Amino acid sequence: MTERNDHPWWERGTVYQIYPRSFQDSDGDGVGDLAGIERRLDHVAALGVDAIWLSPIFPSPMADFGYDVADYCDVDPLFGDLASFDRVLAAAHERGLKLLLDFVPNHTSDRHPWFVDSRTGRDSTKRDWYIWRDPAPDGGPPNNWISDFGGSAWEYDPVSGQYYLHAFLASQPDLNWRNPAVKAAMFDAMRFWLDRGVDGFRIDVLWHIVKAEGFPDNPPNPYWRPGITERDRLIQRHSTDQPEAHAIAAEMRALADSYGADGQARVLIGEIFLPNDAHARWYGTLDRPQVHLPFNFQLIENAWDAATLRTMIAAYEASLPPYGWPNWVIGSHDAARIAARVGEPQARVAAMLLLTLRGTPTLYQGDELGIGKVDIPADRVRDPQELRQPGIGIGRDRSRTPMPWDGAPFAGFSTVEPWLPLNPDWHTRNVAAQERDPASMLALYRHLLALRRTHPALSVGGMHLLDAADGVLAYERRHGDEVLRVALNLTQDAKPLPFAGTVVLSTLGGATSDTLRANEGMIFRPTS
């Protein structure tokens, strides 16, 4: 692999996702807000990350907690206003942090003025801004497409006698990106925030934004079985990942790049769930690039064992175009927390994996504390996906619980009962408590992030997988003359070290000369 010395900030750095509803409440309503984020930015800066990504803050009825946008160029009063956003942006920049917004281009709220107009009748000037179709000959939906939240992806409008498409809730109608006016309006919205100084966007469900012409039925998924989300009963061949969407992504990239003349690149991170070959196409080409980072969720989706991860890492790296920069995620507002999936001992190993693999890592708020499983009582469930398809383990509330800051009432998050329950061990698992403990998960994350900053081998170096004992994942990172090796024990048993060297960091503290303890990860400087 040819080394480069011109890595932009988004290749060298680390992104930290903030779910605004659950970060810090400043006004006593039980829901986080922008003033709360501003108050807690020192925690983020002290971690050692380079950028924050805010989940949606736009005006919204909150049917899907902000992913149903009613105005792309304002802030929901629940979170504050444009002035409070400007203060957060300035405060982040003062601390050397970039700020990314969550842009939602596939759909709006049904209360967005565009859709309100579109719904007035077939002769509305905004009718073609959304996807309306006549019923099938039997009077039913135009095709068999299934909403990601279950049920038909089509909603009947009795006034006009047509159906409109919604890939998610019926209150989230899909925009028609084949209409040039829609594209122009959405690009104007992106410009609004770029002109305001944001450093880029995480783009929600980017691979959804264009649908196949003619709207053919999606084929059945032969591997589907009851107990899996209803969406997966079909293969989304015609409702996602269309060639025209790639062209739009390339135009988005050109827009973002046009704001990089000051030497501070604006970054586009695309939410894209696809197999490696299709996923890699979202980088575009050298002469027509698309998103900088198509999000890679494979550390969330794969079994947690060394053999599986090794195979997955090798296949993902091999799938990348020569100009494509990798990226990794172990947690998000949509997935069960890493400590809930693999347990706290392995969550420490996962932290070392995330922050030493080649590529840009994204951290999710609270994972730096090792927050684990949080049971949400039935009467506290807020997630529409869980409410529509209960009992199959797809609820997202479990990862959206409030940040525990200290031992004060309601964990210092709020002065009242928060909108979702806190983690049950918040009295001891909170930021203040872990700051006092040099062996805490928070301390481990800070050490790992500091190592990334001081060792180019970890931030931008090449990577080579190494042989190791069963249950151990090992690899080498190299940049120039600097070489570091990583050995991760993904088992509950001690394992022989795969190589000799000086220990730079252990996830358990201390070190032994020839053994990886159970659930231990180590970074080594190899013996010369």
Side-chain angles (χ1 to χ4, degrees):
M1 180 181 303
T2 302
E3 290 188 356
R4 293 167 37 211
N5 295 309
D6 60 342
H7 293 271
W9 69 263
W10 51 269
E11 290 185 357
R12 300 188 309 271
T14 305
V15 179
Y16 182 86
Q17 182 190 355
I18 290 177
Y19 193 70
R21 294 181 66 92
S22 297
F23 202 61
Q24 176 67 59
D25 172 21
S26 73
D27 57 7
D29 63 358
V31 178
D33 47 49
L34 288 169
I37 292 171
E38 183 182 1
R39 174 183 163 192
R40 297 296 188 180
L41 280 179
D42 285 342
H43 166 75
V44 182
L47 268 177
V49 300
D50 299 86
I52 57 175
W53 146 34
L54 302 184
S55 291
I57 56 170
F58 313 113
S60 168
M62 299 295 165
D64 193 22
F65 298 108
Y67 287 93
D68 48 323
V69 178
D71 184 346
Y72 286 97
C73 297
D74 206 346
V75 171
D76 194 283
L78 183 70
F79 300 123
D81 54 23
L82 284 170
S84 52
F85 172 79
D86 290 341
R87 287 192 294 271
V88 169
L89 180 63
H93 285 170
E94 286 169 5
R95 290 163 175 78
L97 296 167
K98 309 290 186 183
L99 190 149
L100 315 179
L101 285 182
D102 207 325
F103 190 63
V104 187
N106 179 70
H107 50 266
T108 71
S109 166
D110 62 352
R111 299 187 197 177
H112 195 295
W114 299 343
F115 188 72
V116 172
D117 189 328
S118 179
R119 205 173 195 171
T120 58
R122 298 192 185 199
D123 58 351
S124 163
T125 58
K126 293 287 193 298
R127 187 69 169 185
D128 193 47
W129 283 45
Y130 295 84
I131 299 173
W132 293 90
R133 289 295 179 273
D134 290 330
D138 64 0
N143 63 25
N144 70 344
W145 294 0
I146 296 173
S147 159
D148 278 24
F149 286 175
S152 174
W154 297 92
E155 183 76 4
Y156 184 66
D157 175 50
V159 174
S160 64
Q162 285 189 313
Y163 285 85
Y164 67 84
L165 182 68
H166 58 92
F168 297 91
L169 296 173
S171 57
Q172 293 171 288
D174 281 25
L175 285 162
N176 176 18
W177 273 84
R178 293 183 183 277
N179 184 329
V182 169
K183 184 171 72 172
M186 295 298 281
F187 274 60
D188 283 346
M190 296 177 78
R191 289 187 189 93
F192 174 87
W193 294 105
L194 290 166
D195 288 341
R196 214 165 191 96
V198 303
D199 300 288
F201 300 98
R202 177 266 191 186
I203 306 175
D204 185 61
V205 296
L206 177 59
W207 85 111
H208 270 265
I209 63 172
V210 178
K211 286 72 178 173
E213 290 190 292
F215 299 90
D217 280 354
N218 277 327
N221 179 359
Y223 301 105
W224 183 85
R225 65 184 186 279
I228 299 176
T229 177
E230 186 185 357
R231 171 203 63 197
D232 294 334
R233 188 162 54 81
L234 302 177
I235 298 170
Q236 294 183 321
R237 179 171 299 159
H238 304 297
S239 52
T240 65
D241 198 31
Q242 300 303 300
E244 297 90 340
H246 290 268
I248 292 168
E251 292 184 65
M252 289 180 174
R253 173 64 177 269
L255 173 63
D257 287 349
S258 73
Y259 281 80
D262 57 1
Q264 297 296 319
R266 274 50 167 189
V267 68
L268 300 182
I269 302 174
E271 185 192 23
I272 297 160
F273 285 88
L274 290 169
N276 279 339
D277 57 342
H279 187 268
R281 288 196 288 271
W282 286 89
Y283 285 100
T285 61
L286 275 174
D287 61 343
R288 191 163 169 75
Q290 296 177 35
V291 294
H292 300 80
L293 299 173
F295 252 152
N296 168 28
F297 298 99
Q298 294 186 64
L299 291 178
I300 293 175
E301 297 169 338
N302 279 277
W304 194 256
D305 66 77
T308 298
L309 294 180
R310 179 188 173 94
T311 299
M312 176 271 289
I313 292 166
Y316 171 65
E317 282 275 2
S319 74
L320 299 175
Y323 47 85
W325 187 250
N327 68 94
W328 301 94
V329 180
I330 60 170
S332 79
H333 63 292
D334 287 334
R337 287 193 176 275
I338 182 64
R341 301 198 308 268
V342 303
E344 182 170 355
Q346 279 295 311
R348 297 177 73 90
V349 176
M352 183 170 281
L353 176 66
L354 175 70
L355 294 172
T356 60
L357 283 171
R358 189 177 83 97
T360 303
T362 296
L363 284 62
Y364 180 58
Q365 68 174 55
D367 282 350
E368 74 269 29
L369 305 178
I371 295 174
K373 184 179 180 182
V374 183
D375 291 320
I376 309 295
D379 63 347
R380 298 290 303 275
V381 171
R382 304 290 298 275
D383 177 21
Q385 182 168 258
E386 172 73 7
L387 291 170
R388 288 170 62 90
Q389 299 181 82
I392 61 174
I394 59 173
R396 300 171 296 175
D397 292 335
R398 58 193 172 176
S399 61
R400 300 176 177 185
T401 57
M403 275 287 285
W405 293 103
D406 54 41
F410 308 114
F413 167 76
S414 181
T415 56
V416 300
E417 182 71 28
W419 75 289
L420 281 175
L422 290 153
N423 51 295
D425 56 352
W426 67 265
H427 292 89
T428 54
R429 189 179 299 280
N430 60 63
V431 172
Q434 293 205 11
E435 284 185 327
R436 297 189 294 267
D437 179 4
S440 68
M441 183 75 82
L442 178 58
L444 175 64
Y445 267 92
R446 287 177 173 174
H447 283 313
L448 286 164
L449 285 159
L451 285 175
R452 281 184 62 87
R453 284 186 176 276
T454 55
H455 292 278
L458 293 179
S459 58
V460 296
M463 191 181 84
H464 176 67
L465 290 164
L466 301 172
D467 293 333
D470 289 347
V472 175
L473 178 64
Y475 45 92
E476 180 179 278
R477 301 296 311 278
R478 180 186 294 268
H479 183 76
D481 295 332
E482 182 181 51
V483 179
L484 293 173
R485 290 176 177 168
V486 181
L488 306 171
N489 185 356
L490 276 70
T491 78
Q492 312 300 311
D493 302 310
K495 297 287 183 177
L497 282 173
F499 33 69
T502 302
V503 176
V504 177
L505 182 65
S506 164
T507 58
L508 300 181
T512 58
S513 60
D514 59 357
T515 302
L516 273 174
R517 291 167 284 183
N519 305 306
E520 183 174 27
M522 287 191 191
I523 302 173
F524 296 84
R525 185 174 292 107
T527 303
S528 57

